[in-house]
Amino acid sequence: MDFINMTVERTNVQLTKADFESDQMVKWCPGCGGHAILAAIERVFPKIGYRKENFCMISGIGCSSRFPYYVNTYGIHGIHGRAAAISTGVKIANPRLSVWTITGDGDSLAIGGNHFIHVIRRNVDLNILLFNNQIYGLTKGQYSPTTPMGKITKTSPMGTIEHPFNIGELVMGAQGTFFARVPDNNIALMTDCMFEAAKHDGTSVTEIMENCVIFADKAHAPVTGKDVKDETMLILKDGSPMVFGKNNEKGLILKDTMLDVVEIGKNGITIEDILVHDQYSQDPGIQLMLAKLAPPHFPMVFGVIRSAMYPTYDDLVEEQIKFARETSKIKNVDDLLNSGDTWEI
Amino acid sequence: MTKKKRPVIEREEVVVKFVGDSGDGMQLTGSMFSDVAAIVGNDLATFPDFPAEIRAPQNTVAGVSGFQVHMGSSKIFTTGDLVDVLVAMNPASLRSNLKWAKKGATILTDTDAYDDKTIEKAGYKANPFTDNSLDGFNMIMAPITTLTKASLQELGVENKIAERSKNMFALGMLYYIFNRDLNSSFKYFEHKFKKKPELIEINKIVLQAGYNYADTIEALESVIQVSAAPMEKGRYRNITGNLGTAWGLLAAAEKSGRPLFLGSYPITPATEILMELAKHKSLGVKVFQAEDEIAGICSAIGASFAGSLACTTTSGPGLSLKSEAIGLAVITELPLVIVNVQRGGPSTGLPTKSEQSDLYQALFGRNGECPVIIVAASTSENCFYYSYMAAKLSMEHMTPAILLTDGYLGFGSTLFRIPKMADMPSINPPIAEANDSDYKPYKRDHETLVRQWAIPGTEGLRHRIGGLEKENVTGVVSSDPINHQVMTDMRAQKVEKVADFIPEQEIDGPDKGDMLVVSWGGTYGSVHSAVSKMQKEGKSISHAHFHYILPLPKNTIKVLKSFKKIVVCELNSGQFVNYLRMKFPMPNIFQFNKVQGLPFMINELTDKFNQLLEEK
Ligand SMILES: Cc1ncc(C[n+]2csc(CCOP(=O)(O)OP(=O)(O)O)c2C)c(N)n1
Ligand code: SF4
Ligand SMILES: [Mg+2]
């Protein structure tokens, strides 16, 4: 098994799915993408191997944010938009916890946008799972910051007139160190990416393209639908060439300063010409270009797009405290009260 | 040193204010002066009066910076209403502070600072020395800048540098006027300028020159002596309210064994608490400067869940932003200390001035039925104790607590008798034990209704809490109507039961009589002074100053019922008074209010009290 953060205490028994199942009835609509995401979590937590008491799930408000009730860990169902801020407090207070932040596209990109960019900028060691259904589910179908331009929703009867966020671009713009994108209909890929996210030291953002069957059904189908996905999805693998297509016959190359789609075997292109994915590259240049790709001219890329090493906020907090403890004369509050100018009467 | 034989006049208390341009070093001068007062054993209270602008134009009224010292040979309760001695380094500071000078006050000013330009910039029509506006004051007009430069001539100090030490010349003069010793200031220079020894020499020479000069001038008929105050034995220091609040939280963390976490966003006049705690990483405090107030409190809620003594500090507008999150802490029943250093409102209001107008916000400013503990400090010194108590009650009763202080307490300083940690009251948070098979998130103590604190990482206690209503005991999400009633009542009763753990309300003066003056928070000093003045005059008047607002002490009704008239004094339009009227509808509750960003003056209080006593 790959290396996993050593600050979080590991279990010495093999945990299973049952260890994380909660006794609460799952109340999402039948067919909601949330069910598959829950299945992926129950699969990946035992695999990660931490003590079950060391997992903590923190959410905001929304259909997606009900998630912590459905997993048997420590958890807080918070307030709208603030999951990242609450999680930050949990992690700083106890860096030995594995903190998972569950949020929606409205929760983290509209009302919680400020916390979202700042937690990423600080690189607090959290795992953010962003359920992107391109809609406000819980409030019944208003457009969100990721709803495609022109889409008709309850609050945009003539179509939205807002430019949506590309989450990967936003994450990298905020100096994010980890970004992955997964569809909710591929549990294996979801599980792999969640595992990678857990491994990453720092803020990981995993965008899960979630289907809301009720208010934005098939919003992702033009990309992730079974009938089209061979042509529209490129699943990245670190160290491997970026290929896609039914028989992996297509690939991405860098042409001048931009990415381009080529067919292997045509015009003298061989597999050697295809760009190889480097998720660990510190420079986000190519990773950012990848995150922005979308049909019809390009496939959309999935998997871990960026996973760069930077110091984490919580580690730096601990380091400063350790240094201060070693060097300061003030060891306790009595010392503090008696420090500086004092006199006896 | 030649000392003229001048009569020494003993004074029980004196108010001195140093004012000048922002660049004149008035804060330093004032605090050096007050340090010496402290060392000779005076009781004292100080208040810095900063301009709102960081770099206001030179020599304008907007750029005036001041430092007030109230010292005495008896207990000092306020920073002083009107000043006995005003040191005004330029025309603008004289013009803006003359209104605070007592009739006949001594005014020391630097005549070199007065020319056509500075006089005009200060907003004077004519030179104040010639327009009679200074009649009736004991003016000491000294060419301070010239004299300072002259005193440094031998050393060959550049004029610019010499000019900068003119505040020390003024201070030297004051030391003479107050019969003080220069040695402790000399020591201070030696310590402060260890790395720049030339400055030690310069400051010593100028200070001594000012002292000697005061000795020679005619304007001084006598020197003033303020003797040591009878103080409880012990080790003392100066403390500002904000420092006290910060240290109280550190003390509560150490005593309870819970690590301290602060999530905060800078805002005047609360920022000093954040800055102070950021200095003490050696005590393990984790300070998170958040992106806004909401993140400040939400991070604190996360830290509280994770087992920290979690705090957030702010002032009025920031408390507004925190409202929704306070509700989350209330419904999750997590401990959380919210410090509100009040300032003038609404909106940005008077950010550098003080008010008590956030009481309604603390009591009622949230959606839903959302009670929290509310505690208010009353002196800069007891900010330490009440922040400690807010933390203790919050942790022991698993409920958020709001601590109200204000800008005057926060920035002001008083002497502080240093306590020993061993003597501080114990703090015992109800931490759930690992693998307690009976653990339920909302299982409550029968007496206190307090739930247990089950800290993530602990074996066998995994649970979820959150903003949705929960079933009592089990903590399962529930929208059952009866359960919501039960939980609403539990949350309220849990806070009310805190009354069993706080002291009864004390009365200053006889416990019954014609009139009870009621106050809370930062007005203690002025109200106390006014009441004791009238008590000395033989009036039937007593004083009850409240530190515990929610819940109120159990004997509150008994206290109120023992007087014919009650008058509640507050620096708002009547918030505590209406809270009392709501709780105890009584026809004889009067009020006295002021919303000017200024503290009460003792005589405006006594005038009001006398008028009420006379009315039938
Ligand atoms: C302060 C506040 N404002 C508004 C709401 C109403 N609200 C609840 S969830 C939500 C949007 C949820 O959208 P999203 O985050 O995308 O979650 P989803 O339901 O789609 O999973 C809104 C507007 C609220 N609960 N709190
Ligand atoms: S409304 Fe949409 S997002 Fe919410 S539970 Fe139903 S399907 Fe899922
Ligand atoms: Mg959504």
Side-chain angles (χ1 to χ4, degrees):
Chain A
M1 183 170 292
D2 303 75
F3 172 78
I4 278 268
N5 191 327
M6 296 311 283
T7 45
V8 185
E9 200 185 329
R10 307 183 60 76
T11 172
N12 42 25
V13 293
Q14 181 57 55
L15 301 176
T16 67
K17 177 171 179 275
D19 287 301
F20 294 100
E21 281 170 357
S22 96
D23 55 0
Q24 296 301 295
M25 201 218 299
V26 178
K27 290 184 184 157
W28 289 313
C29 307
C32 174
H35 298 283
I37 305 172
L38 181 58
I41 281 285
E42 286 172 350
R43 232 190 249 195
V44 78
F45 274 15
K47 200 173 146 205
I48 289 170
Y50 298 145
R51 275 171 79 239
K52 55 192 177 205
E53 286 82 10
N54 286 30
F55 287 99
C56 214
M57 306 205 93
I58 311 292
S59 65
I61 296 289
C63 293
S64 37
S65 288
R66 295 294 170 95
F67 203 90
Y69 292 124
Y70 306 146
V71 190
N72 189 6
T73 62
Y74 284 98
I76 300 182
H77 176 218
I79 45 179
H80 197 27
R82 318 303 170 195
I86 300 171
S87 308
T88 297
V90 172
K91 185 68 188 182
I92 297 174
N94 186 355
R96 293 174 307 285
L97 298 173
S98 172
V99 182
W100 295 71
T101 307
I102 312 295
T103 181
D105 41 323
D107 196 61
S108 59
L109 304 180
I111 189 167
N114 199 26
H115 312 310
F116 186 72
I117 56 174
H118 287 285
V119 75
I120 291 171
R121 175 178 66 82
R122 295 187 185 105
N123 204 30
V124 182
D125 188 12
L126 306 174
N127 304 301
I128 300 178
L129 302 182
L130 200 167
F131 294 27
N132 179 15
N133 54 11
Q134 299 184 349
I135 199 81
Y136 288 2
L138 191 71
T139 47
K140 303 195 165 76
Q142 304 78 24
Y143 63 84
S144 90
T146 55
T147 304
M149 176 89 140
K151 177 109 176 155
I152 290 173
T153 72
K154 296 253 185 78
T155 43
S156 57
M158 296 170 71
T160 67
I161 48 174
E162 294 187 10
H163 297 278
F165 274 135
N166 173 308
I167 298 174
E169 188 181 10
L170 184 63
V171 168
M172 285 182 236
Q175 302 170 47
T177 55
F178 183 102
F179 178 67
R181 185 190 284 141
V182 293
D184 66 1
N185 60 4
N186 183 341
I187 294 196
L189 182 60
M190 255 196 285
T191 313
D192 286 351
C193 285
M194 287 174 183
F195 189 82
E196 288 285 315
K199 249 170 61 178
H200 177 74
D201 287 337
T203 309
S204 68
V205 177
T206 303
E207 173 190 358
I208 305 172
M209 296 180 63
E210 183 205 30
N211 192 40
C212 168
V213 275
I214 309 295
F215 299 112
D217 194 22
K218 303 200 166 61
H220 304 302
V223 179
T224 63
K226 288 223 163 49
D227 46 335
V228 295
K229 71 176 185 355
D230 289 342
E231 298 301 315
T232 53
M233 289 177 68
L234 188 163
I235 298 177
L236 294 169
K237 214 169 158 352
D238 184 62
S240 300
M242 303 176 197
V243 292
F244 66 107
K246 200 170 172 67
N247 303 306
N248 285 338
E249 73 284 8
K250 292 182 189 172
L252 296 179
I253 61 160
L254 193 62
K255 192 176 161 207
D256 299 328
T257 58
M258 296 202 278
L259 295 177
D260 199 10
V261 173
V262 290
E263 270 192 55
I264 298 160
K266 275 197 184 160
N267 299 328
I269 297 278
T270 69
I271 189 81
E272 304 296 321
D273 298 313
I274 305 298
L275 269 181
V276 170
H277 183 42
D278 178 6
Q279 71 183 49
Y280 301 109
S281 163
Q282 293 259 332
D283 184 323
I286 301 278
Q287 298 160 349
L288 179 58
M289 286 195 240
L290 288 170
K292 290 173 73 171
L293 298 183
H297 302 301
F298 288 95
M300 187 176 280
V301 303
F302 288 82
V304 179
I305 297 173
R306 174 171 174 76
S307 170
M309 286 262 283
Y310 279 92
T312 70
Y313 184 91
D314 33 301
D315 277 349
L316 294 174
V317 168
E318 296 301 317
E319 247 172 55
Q320 287 196 339
I321 288 179
K322 185 162 173 274
F323 181 77
R325 280 195 203 276
E326 284 164 6
T327 53
S328 170
K329 281 200 210 89
I330 296 174
K331 304 287 184 203
N332 56 45
V333 176
D334 279 322
D335 290 347
L336 175 66
L337 292 168
N338 288 285
S339 63
D341 276 344
T342 65
W343 60 92
E344 202 75 41
I345 288 182
Chain B
M1 146 189 355
T2 62
K3 191 152 184 177
K4 276 193 186 168
K5 272 274 169 262
R6 285 195 161 101
V8 177
I9 295 178
E10 181 76 34
R11 295 280 300 274
E12 189 181 335
E13 47 157 343
V14 181
V15 181
V16 182
K17 189 169 186 188
F18 297 85
V19 290
D21 203 54
S22 293
D24 287 342
M26 292 297 98
Q27 303 301 323
L28 174 69
T29 317
S31 47
M32 284 177 67
F33 183 75
S34 71
D35 284 351
V36 171
I39 288 166
V40 304
N42 294 151
D43 193 14
L44 60 92
T46 73
F47 188 73
D49 191 0
F50 306 112
E53 289 73 18
I54 308 296
R55 295 252 187 282
Q58 236 185 342
N59 284 316
T60 60
V61 165
V64 173
S65 165
F67 192 94
Q68 186 159 321
V69 182
H70 187 187
M71 56 191 185
S73 59
S74 57
K75 185 118 188 80
I76 294 297
F77 294 98
T78 70
T79 55
D81 291 354
L82 295 178
V83 302
D84 299 283
V85 177
L86 180 67
V87 179
M89 297 301 283
N90 70 352
S93 60
L94 178 69
R95 180 164 175 261
S96 57
N97 279 278
L98 199 60
K99 58 177 176 292
W100 304 121
K102 269 185 200 161
K103 237 189 237 153
T106 297
I107 299 178
L108 168 61
T109 195
D110 180 7
T111 50
D112 291 333
Y114 293 74
D115 59 31
D116 292 349
K117 234 167 117 188
T118 56
I119 289 171
E120 194 200 315
K121 263 189 161 175
Y124 275 120
K125 298 256 151 37
N127 190 326
F129 300 158
T130 59
D131 71 357
N132 303 337
S133 62
L134 302 174
D135 288 359
F137 294 109
N138 173 29
M139 295 302 299
I140 303 180
M141 318 237 256
I144 293 178
T145 311
T146 311
L147 292 168
T148 305
K149 285 186 206 160
S151 71
L152 291 171
Q153 215 160 30
E154 264 179 51
L155 277 189
V157 175
E158 255 179 78
N159 272 351
K160 244 176 143 179
I161 295 181
E163 250 177 69
R164 246 186 263 151
S165 38
K166 64 184 180 204
N167 56 333
M168 289 301 122
F169 192 93
L171 184 62
M173 290 180 71
L174 272 227
Y175 282 160
Y176 181 85
I177 296 173
F178 284 96
N179 214 9
R180 300 293 201 208
D181 185 71
L182 302 187
N183 272 330
S184 67
S185 290
F186 286 172
K187 273 199 204 124
Y188 172 82
F189 295 144
E190 282 158 19
H191 174 74
K192 176 161 183 200
F193 301 121
K194 226 186 274 170
K195 295 212 178 94
K196 291 184 183 163
E198 68 280 9
L199 289 183
I200 302 177
E201 191 62 16
I202 291 176
N203 281 291
K204 279 186 177 176
I205 289 177
V206 175
L207 192 75
Q208 184 75 58
Y211 187 94
N212 295 348
Y213 175 75
D215 191 12
T216 63
I217 52 174
E218 296 298 320
L220 265 185
E221 283 161 11
S222 54
V223 295
I224 302 166
Q225 169 86 23
V226 182
S227 302
M231 309 259 277
E232 203 183 332
K233 278 210 176 335
R235 183 154 277 282
Y236 282 80
R237 62 176 309 126
N238 267 314
I239 200 162
T240 63
N242 281 338
L243 203 69
T245 302
W247 289 8
L249 297 173
L250 285 166
E254 184 174 294
K255 197 75 172 187
S256 63
R258 295 285 103 211
L260 184 60
F261 177 93
L262 175 71
S264 182
Y265 188 78
I267 182 169
T268 305
T271 315
E272 281 67 22
I273 306 171
L274 165 63
M275 297 194 293
E276 178 62 22
L277 287 175
K279 284 189 210 158
H280 298 298
K281 296 196 167 64
S282 73
L283 298 176
V285 51
K286 293 179 176 173
V287 174
F288 173 60
Q289 182 179 316
E291 55 274 20
D292 59 25
E293 279 84 352
I294 300 173
I297 186 169
C298 286
S299 63
I301 290 171
S304 173
F305 179 63
S308 295
L309 162 54
C311 310
T312 187
T313 50
T314 191
S315 184
L319 187 64
S320 304
L321 284 172
K322 292 177 196 294
S323 305
E324 187 197 10
I326 296 175
L328 178 64
V330 165
I331 200 165
T332 51
E333 305 194 29
L334 284 170
L336 174 68
V337 180
I338 303 137
V339 178
N340 179 9
V341 186
Q342 297 170 95
R343 62 190 221 178
S347 186
T348 306
L350 302 179
T352 58
K353 302 288 179 210
S354 207
E355 232 167 73
Q356 299 185 299
S357 45
D358 295 344
L359 180 62
Y360 278 169
Q361 186 177 207
L363 281 165
F364 310 122
R366 292 168 292 282
N367 62 305
E369 295 289 339
C370 199
V372 298
I373 296 169
I374 303 173
V375 177
S378 63
T379 64
S380 297
E381 161 204 18
N382 74 22
C383 285
F384 176 81
Y385 180 73
Y386 286 103
S387 78
Y388 185 92
M389 287 309 290
K392 171 177 161 73
L393 294 173
S394 178
M395 282 189 280
E396 291 184 339
H397 296 268
M398 294 293 284
T399 196
I402 294 179
L403 171 69
L404 295 173
T405 72
D406 63 46
Y408 275 104
L409 297 182
F411 282 136
S413 83
T414 46
L415 297 190
F416 176 56
R417 190 168 168 273
I418 300 170
K420 292 199 173 57
M421 280 303 293
D423 300 335
M424 295 301 289
S426 67
I427 302 179
N428 302 303
I431 300 196
E433 273 182 37
N435 295 317
D436 173 358
S437 55
D438 274 350
Y439 173 76
K440 296 273 186 304
Y442 286 89
K443 202 175 81 176
R444 297 170 187 281
D445 179 272
H446 291 299
E447 300 256 302
T448 60
L449 304 180
V450 171
R451 76 178 194 94
Q452 287 186 307
W453 199 356
I455 294 168
T458 313
E459 209 169 287
L461 302 180
R462 288 175 295 163
H463 68 285
R464 274 70 52 198
I465 53 178
L468 281 174
E469 183 66 284
K470 300 293 185 293
E471 187 176 72
N472 196 26
V473 185
T474 65
V476 172
V477 174
S478 164
S479 51
D480 178 79
I482 300 299
N483 176 69
H484 182 50
Q485 182 79 57
V486 167
M487 290 297 267
T488 302
D489 296 347
M490 289 282 182
R491 289 187 285 263
Q493 284 167 23
K494 181 183 60 167
V495 172
E496 284 303 329
K497 280 175 185 290
V498 171
D500 296 338
F501 301 85
I502 59 174
E504 293 219 318
Q505 181 58 45
E506 282 176 19
I507 302 176
D508 216 339
D511 57 11
K512 50 171 139 347
D514 291 344
M515 190 157 85
L516 177 71
V517 178
V518 169
S519 54
W520 67 277
T523 55
Y524 172 73
S526 40
V527 177
H528 172 85
S529 303
V531 171
S532 56
K533 192 165 167 220
M534 289 178 62
Q535 285 170 340
K536 282 186 197 137
E537 293 163 9
K539 305 276 164 59
S540 171
I541 186 169
S542 295
H543 180 204
H545 190 85
F546 284 76
H547 293 104
Y548 294 96
I549 310 281
L550 185 64
L552 287 164
K554 286 203 282 194
N555 62 334
T556 301
I557 180 68
K558 196 173 138 231
V559 168
L560 297 180
K561 287 217 156 134
S562 306
F563 293 85
K564 289 187 192 138
K565 280 182 185 170
I566 293 152
V567 57
V568 183
C569 310
E570 305 171 76
L571 299 174
N572 57 36
S573 300
Q575 302 190 4
F576 191 57
V577 73
N578 282 334
Y579 173 60
L580 288 179
R581 284 176 182 141
M582 178 184 94
K583 292 236 158 206
F584 314 110
M586 289 162 58
N588 58 342
I589 304 186
F590 300 89
Q591 66 193 80
F592 184 53
N593 303 97
K594 175 166 163 179
V595 196
Q596 300 173 4
L598 293 172
F600 283 124
M601 303 274 254
I602 291 166
N603 61 1
E604 68 193 2
L605 291 169
T606 50
D607 287 353
K608 176 72 186 182
F609 302 158
N610 278 318
Q611 175 212 330
L612 277 172
L613 275 173
E614 279 154 29
E615 273 169 19
K616 277 283 155 331

